[in-house]
Amino acid sequence: MMRLVLVFGLGAAALAASGCPPRHAPAAGLGPYSEDPDAERAFKAAVELFEAGSLSDADAAFAAFANDYGDDPLYGSAIVYRARIAVEQGAPRTALALCASLEGAAVDKVTSERARFYEGVAAAAAGEHARAVDLLKPFLGALTEPAENETLLSSLWRAASALGDLGRA
């Protein structure tokens, strides 16, 4: 219990020291890239909409990308962005379904990890607290983006509190 309080306290202090992160920070991490210039342009345009905070437009662009470039290495990243958008728009069940659609798919390790992260965040928002803790706990100390650390800590706190077991987080 003391360890959990210390982890959350240190996380809160780090967030306070770094200032408020942007609400729509880009998804971090080195992921795949496309060798198809048209696919790369379409993906980049969707990311730009996301970063500008145009979530509905970004979701539509990522959905179109996934439909048009289903065999592209960026396909999984587009689905992860859609899951993140669904969580931000208050649709955690949609995010869970999007993450589940990647299970067994040929995606790179970074994309697979990001899908698990947003699946955990969505599970916490959907009230699947034990699942959320199990999915999110491995990310403690592993994220470098302040906005995602804040999301991780708040999701873990919410899930562990609901379980009445802060020691699980």
Side-chain angles (χ1 to χ4, degrees):
M1 174 86 152
M2 185 64 162
R3 180 174 169 247
L4 178 65
V5 171
L6 179 62
V7 168
F8 283 116
L10 290 174
L15 286 172
S18 66
C20 292
R23 181 165 182 259
H24 301 291
L30 299 175
Y33 64 92
S34 179
E35 293 186 11
D36 178 342
D38 292 333
E40 191 73 37
R41 268 191 299 279
F43 186 81
K44 185 176 179 180
V47 170
E48 288 172 0
L49 288 168
F50 177 83
E51 290 176 347
S54 301
L55 298 184
S56 294
D57 292 338
D59 185 53
F62 284 121
F65 178 91
N67 186 57
D68 295 344
Y69 301 100
D71 293 329
D72 194 86
L74 291 171
Y75 171 82
S77 294
I79 299 300
V80 172
Y81 267 103
R82 292 195 69 213
R84 182 174 181 173
I85 291 167
V87 169
E88 289 195 27
Q89 292 182 325
R93 297 276 173 215
T94 299
L96 289 170
L98 287 163
C99 291
S101 74
L102 289 178
E103 288 179 21
V107 296
D108 64 287
K109 182 180 177 186
V110 171
T111 301
S112 178
E113 288 174 357
R114 299 199 61 68
R116 276 194 309 279
F117 175 74
Y118 284 106
E119 180 183 356
V121 171
E128 296 181 22
H129 304 299
R131 178 180 177 190
V133 170
D134 290 343
L135 286 165
L136 293 173
K137 193 173 179 179
F139 291 98
L140 279 173
L143 300 176
T144 59
E145 184 192 313
E148 288 189 342
N149 272 309
E150 180 180 20
T151 299
L152 170 65
L153 294 175
S154 65
S155 296
L156 269 173
W157 180 263
R158 181 174 51 247
S161 294
L163 293 170
D165 186 6
L166 293 177
R168 284 197 64 198

